[in-house]
C-alpha cells in the first residue's frame, strides 16, 4: 500500500472533517471525490479510490459515527450474535486510508456546480460523486404503516435500534404466540433476508417457545433460495413456519399497529404477538429529490461505470441503483464499490476503463450450523448486467449435514473477511 | 478530465481477431479480477475465517485449483459455481495477480 501524505484541508471542506493532527505543507489534491454513505458500497468505494490513487482526495459523508450491518443482524434476533459484533466505525478508513469523514447528512446535490450540500449548510465540491445511500421506506404504501408504526411493528430493515427492538419483542412474546413477517414485492434490499429471518426466529422459538408459530405473509409468489429454505424449514422446524404467497392472499395491504393486526388483500385479518413488516422500498430522498430516480424509485446507471444516466460525474451504487441482475445485497454493493472506484480513478486520470466483472455471494443460515448460498459472476452485455451462463446458482438441493455446516462456517468467514476488507483493515 | 471515454475500440478489435465470445471480447482489469476474491478470502488473501488464505501461493497452484473447481475435479461447496464464471484466460491472469499477494 502506498504511504499516505497528509494535506492541509481545503477551506471549502465541511467543518466536520476529521482532523489528523498538525497540518503540514499544503499540497493541492489532483482531484476530489465525494462519497455519500458509509455502508458496504460507500465505505468500499471511498477506500478503493484512495488505494488506486492516493493523490485523489476522498470525503465520505455519513451521518452516523458507526455502521451496523443488516447482514448478520438476523443472528442478533436469534440471540447468537450481539449488536456490537456487527457494528463498525470509520477509524481505519480515516487513519490508514486518509479518507476525510463528514458526519452529516447529504441533503442536496448541484450537478452543474458539482457540489453536495450537507444539513449544516456546507457545500462539498467534487470532481466525481459516488452515491451509496442505501434505501428508504415507502411509508404508507401499506395503509397504516407510517414511520411511527415501526415502533410497534418494527421493520428492522435498517440495522441498529430497530434490530434490538424486534429482538426484545421476540424475547417478550409468550410461548404459543404467532410471529408475522410480511416481506415486500421485488425489488427490495436483501432478497433472502426475510426468509433467513424466519429461520433464525424459528431457531430461537424452537429452543425457547416451541409452541409458537411463524406466519410469512408475502407480497410475492416466489422467493430467493426458496427450495432450499423450504426443505430446511421442513427438516428442522417441521410445521412451525407457514409461508402464504400473494396469490393465496399473502399480500398485506393494511396494518393496525395498536391492535397488532394486519389485513391482507382479500380481507383476511391476522393478529401477531410480534409483527415484522418489511415495507416496499426506494432510493433515499437525496437521490429522488434531485431527479436521479426512475418512476420505479431507484437510480438508472451505466452498467459499466455506475455513472448516472441523468447526471454526468455522479455515480450511484448499492441498493439505491438499478444494477440489472445483481441483487440488492451488501456483497453486490462491495463489488460495485471496487468497480466504481476503478472507473472513477481511470476517468480522473484520463485512462480508458476496462470492462468490469461483478460478483455476488449471499449466505443464509437456516440454523447456526446449516448454511445455504447463492452466487453469480456478472458481466455487462447489451442486455445490461447479466449473470454468466453455466456458472453461479444456489447450493445443491441434496447435500449432507457436513456440506451445510461447511457453508455455515463460510458464512461466518465471509462476514469476518468483508468487515475486515471494508471497515477494519 | 470528466469527458466520457467510449469503450476501448482497440479491445473490441482484439476480441474479433482472437475470436473470443462476446462476453469476454475485452479484458477485465487484472486488478478487478483479483479483487473479486478478497470479499471472502480476505484483503491480500489473508483470510480471517473459514475460507483458505491465498497469499504466498504460486500462480500455477492457484490456477490449477481454480481450473479443477471449474471442471468439477475438486470437491466444492461454492467455488465450482464461482470458478465457472471466469474464462480460462481470466483464471490465468487472476492467478498471477493473486501470486503477488504477500
Amino acid at each position: 500500500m502506498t504511504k499516505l501524505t497528509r494535506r492541509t484541508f481545503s477551506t471549502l471542506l465541511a467543518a466536520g472533517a476529521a482532523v489528523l493532527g498538525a497540518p503540514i505543507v499544503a499540497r493541492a489534491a489532483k482531484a476530489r471525490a465525494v462519497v455519500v454513505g458509509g455502508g458496504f458500497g460507500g465505505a468500499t468505494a471511498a477506500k478503493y479510490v484512495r488505494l488506486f490513487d492516493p493523490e485523489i482526495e476522498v470525503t465520505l459523508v455519513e451521518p452516523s459515527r458507526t455502521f451496523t450491518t443488516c447482514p448478520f443482524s438476523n443472528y442478533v434476533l436469534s440471540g447468537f450474535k450481539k449488536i456490537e459484533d456487527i457494528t463498525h466505525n470509520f477509524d481505519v478508513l480515516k487513519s490508514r486510508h486518509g479518507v476525510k469523514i463528514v458526519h452529516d447528512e447529504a441533503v442536496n446535490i448541484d450537478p452543474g456546480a458539482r457540489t453536495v450540500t450537507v444539513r449544516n449548510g456546507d457545500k462539498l465540491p467534487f470532481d466525481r460523486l459516488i452515491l451509496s445511500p442505501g434505501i428508504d421506506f415507502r411509508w404508507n404504501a401499506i395503509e397504516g404503516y407510517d414511520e411511527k408504526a415501526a415502533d410497534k411493528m418494527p421493520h428492522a430493515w435498517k440495522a441498529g435500534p430497530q434490530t434490538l427492538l424486534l429482538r426484545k419483542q421476540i424475547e417478550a412474546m409468550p410461548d404459543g404466540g404467532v410471529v408475522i413477517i410480511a416481506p415486500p414485492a421485488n425489488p427490495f434490499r436483501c432478497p433472502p433476508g426475510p426468509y433467513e429471518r424466519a429461520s433464525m426466529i424459528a431457531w430461537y422459538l424452537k429452543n425457547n417457545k416451541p409452541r409458537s408459530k411463524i406466519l410469512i405473509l408475502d407480497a410475492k409468489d416466489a422467493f430467493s433460495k426458496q427450495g432450499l429454505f423450504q426443505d430446511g424449514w421442513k427438516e428442522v422446524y417441521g410445521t412451525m413456519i407457514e409461508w402464504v404467497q400473494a396469490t393465496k392472499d399473502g399480500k398485506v395491504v393494511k396494518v393496525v399497529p395498536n391492535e397488532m393486526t394486519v389485513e391482507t388483500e382479500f380481507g383476511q385479518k391476522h393478529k401477531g404477538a410480534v409483527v415484522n413488516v418489511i415495507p416496499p422500498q426506494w432510493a433515499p430522498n437525496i437521490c429522488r429529490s434531485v431527479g436521479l430516480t426512475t418512476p420505479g424509485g431507484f437510480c438508472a446507471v451505466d452498467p459499466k461505470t455506475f455513472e448516472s444516466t441523468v447526471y454526468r460525474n455522479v455515480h450511484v451504487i448499492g441498493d439505491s441503483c438499478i444494477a440489472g441482475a445483481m441483487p440488492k445485497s451488501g456483497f453486490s454493493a462491495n463489488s460495485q464499490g471496487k468497480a466504481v472506484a476503478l472507473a472513477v480513478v481511470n476517468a480522473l486520470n484520463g485512462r480508458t476503463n476496462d470492462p468490469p466483472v461483478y460478483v455476488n455471494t449471499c449466505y443464509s443460515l437456516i440454523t447456526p450450523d446449516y448454511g445455504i448460498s447463492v452466487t453469480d459472476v456478472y458481466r455487462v452485455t447489451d442486455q445490461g448486467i447479466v449473470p454468466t451462463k453455466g456458472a453461479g446458482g444456489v447450493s445443491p438441493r441434496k447435500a449432507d449435514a457436513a456440506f451445510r455446516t461447511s457453508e455455515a462456517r463460510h458464512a461466518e468467514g465471509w462476514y469476518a473477511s468483508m468487515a475486515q476488507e471494508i471497515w477494519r483493515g | 478530465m470528466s469527458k466520457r471515454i467510449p469503450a476501448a475500440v482497440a479491445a473490441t478489435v482484439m476480441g474479433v481477431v482472437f475470436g473470443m465470445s462476446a462476453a469476454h471480447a475485452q479484458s477485465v482489469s487484472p486488478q478487478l479480477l483479483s479483487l473479486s476474491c478478497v470479499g471472502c478470502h480476505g484483503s491480500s488473501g489473508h483470510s480471517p475465517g473459514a475460507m483458505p488464505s491465498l497469499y504466498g501461493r504460486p500462480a500455477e497452484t492457484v490456477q490449477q485449483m481454480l481450473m479443477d473447481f471449474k471442471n468439477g475435479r475438486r470437491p466444492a461447496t461454492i467455488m465450482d459455481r464461482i470458478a465457472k464464471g471466469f474464462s480460462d484466460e481470466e483464471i490465468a491472469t487472476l492467478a498471477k495477480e493473486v501470486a503477488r499477494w504477500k
Side-chain angles (χ1 to χ4, degrees):
Chain A
M1 248 168 262
T2 318
K3 187 173 150 216
L4 292 175
T5 56
R6 291 180 184 178
R7 300 175 182 84
T8 53
F9 294 100
S10 157
T11 50
L12 292 172
L13 278 185
V19 177
L20 292 176
I24 49 177
V25 178
R27 194 155 100 180
K30 171 195 290 182
R32 289 192 193 96
V34 171
V35 180
V36 171
F40 282 85
T44 298
K47 173 175 165 174
Y48 276 93
V49 171
R50 292 290 303 158
L51 286 179
F52 292 141
D53 191 344
E55 289 182 32
I56 296 174
E57 191 176 87
V58 177
T59 301
L60 178 67
V61 181
E62 166 54 60
S64 176
R65 285 172 191 275
T66 58
F67 184 77
T68 302
T69 63
C70 276
F72 277 41
S73 66
N74 285 333
Y75 316 157
V76 174
L77 296 180
S78 53
F80 68 88
K81 286 267 180 228
K82 298 193 293 294
I83 200 94
E84 297 78 33
D85 299 332
I86 60 170
T87 300
H88 312 284
N89 63 46
F90 302 101
D91 296 349
V92 172
L93 269 179
K94 266 191 284 210
S95 62
R96 184 173 299 162
H97 301 291
V99 174
K100 300 181 195 317
I101 318 258
V102 168
H103 285 303
D104 199 343
E105 188 193 348
V107 295
N108 201 11
I109 302 166
D110 186 333
R114 288 203 238 153
T115 58
V116 175
T117 306
V118 294
R119 198 164 278 287
N120 79 1
D122 289 345
K123 288 188 180 351
L124 311 176
F126 63 83
D127 293 294
R128 288 274 165 158
L129 173 62
I130 300 169
L131 299 171
S132 193
I135 51 140
D136 233 331
F137 302 107
R138 293 186 189 246
W139 303 115
N140 299 300
I142 294 171
E143 189 187 331
Y145 200 77
D146 57 12
E147 209 161 345
K148 207 139 184 354
D151 294 341
K152 294 218 160 76
M153 296 178 165
H155 49 76
W157 219 245
K158 286 188 190 184
Q162 278 274 301
T163 311
L164 294 172
L165 173 59
L166 185 54
R167 166 72 182 161
K168 235 168 94 177
Q169 291 182 341
I170 292 165
E171 285 182 292
M173 68 176 266
D175 189 7
V178 176
V179 176
I180 294 174
I181 302 174
N186 294 320
F188 66 101
R189 157 182 283 184
C190 194
Y195 314 95
E196 185 194 58
R197 179 167 291 179
S199 309
M200 289 290 93
I201 294 175
W203 185 75
Y204 165 84
L205 293 173
K206 180 176 173 176
N207 291 317
N208 297 280
K209 295 165 188 177
R211 293 188 297 115
S212 307
K213 292 265 181 265
I214 297 170
L215 178 61
I216 305 173
L217 297 171
D218 212 327
K220 309 183 289 302
D221 287 317
F223 59 90
S224 173
K225 296 187 267 197
Q226 180 171 345
L228 287 162
F229 273 115
Q230 289 180 316
D231 288 350
W233 291 345
K234 194 162 161 209
E235 188 187 325
V236 181
Y237 303 115
T239 55
M240 181 182 269
I241 302 172
E242 183 187 352
W243 175 67
V244 183
Q245 65 188 88
T247 49
K248 297 242 159 70
D249 198 22
K251 184 181 175 186
V252 170
V253 296
K254 181 180 170 181
V255 302
V256 184
N258 288 332
E259 292 172 9
M260 293 296 279
T261 59
V262 307
E263 192 175 313
T264 52
E265 200 170 12
F266 307 142
Q268 272 202 83
K269 282 202 176 80
H270 302 273
K271 190 176 162 96
V274 174
V275 179
N276 168 221
V277 174
I278 302 165
Q281 296 146 32
W282 51 7
N285 202 45
I286 185 68
C287 297
R288 287 183 282 117
S289 64
V290 302
L292 282 162
T293 51
T294 69
F298 296 98
C299 304
V301 294
D302 178 329
K304 294 201 194 78
T305 61
F306 288 85
E307 190 173 20
S308 164
T309 57
V310 181
Y311 296 123
R312 313 201 57 170
N313 308 309
V314 177
H315 302 250
V316 189
I317 59 169
D319 295 351
S320 307
C321 78
I322 300 164
M326 295 184 83
K328 294 189 186 303
S329 72
F331 200 117
S332 286
N334 167 261
S335 178
Q336 294 161 11
K338 292 173 215 177
V340 80
L342 192 55
V344 161
V345 167
N346 281 334
L348 291 174
N349 282 285
R351 291 192 296 253
T352 319
N353 198 45
D354 295 319
V357 64
Y358 311 117
V359 183
N360 176 65
T361 299
C362 280
Y363 285 101
S364 301
L365 293 188
I366 293 175
T367 78
D369 296 311
Y370 188 143
I372 57 175
S373 64
V374 61
T375 188
D376 271 300
V377 179
Y378 301 91
R379 307 286 172 163
V380 180
T381 67
D382 48 22
Q383 316 287 322
I385 299 176
V386 298
T388 307
K389 278 197 172 60
V394 296
S395 309
R397 284 292 284 274
K398 293 244 167 293
D400 60 17
F403 192 107
R404 303 300 188 202
T405 301
S406 184
E407 291 228 271
R409 298 288 85 80
H410 290 151
E412 297 264 1
W414 161 72
Y415 190 92
S417 181
M418 191 150 283
Q420 183 78 14
E421 202 226 335
I422 300 176
W423 299 282
R424 291 176 176 266
Chain B
M1 211 152 50
S2 58
K3 199 172 153 139
R4 198 191 293 258
I5 295 162
V9 172
T12 310
V13 169
M14 236 177 56
V16 169
V17 167
F18 284 71
M20 291 188 233
S21 71
H24 301 308
Q26 299 159 284
S27 303
V28 176
S29 123
Q31 209 167 12
L32 199 58
L33 276 177
S34 66
L35 286 175
S36 303
C37 314
V38 305
C40 288
H41 288 278
S43 288
S44 300
H46 288 255
S47 171
M51 283 71 154
S53 281
L54 300 179
Y55 69 93
R57 297 188 194 229
E60 301 75 32
T61 308
V62 176
Q63 182 176 10
Q64 191 60 55
M65 285 170 78
L66 284 169
M67 291 305 296
D68 286 346
F69 280 131
K70 183 173 177 178
N71 297 319
R73 286 192 297 261
R74 195 181 169 95
T77 55
I78 198 170
M79 278 310 301
D80 50 345
R81 293 178 262 155
I82 292 173
K84 287 180 173 129
F86 297 92
S87 69
D88 293 1
E89 294 83 3
E90 285 175 332
I91 286 174
T93 302
L94 198 155
K96 286 200 194 77
E97 279 301 300
V98 168
R100 281 186 228 204
W101 291 345
K102 292 188 187 14

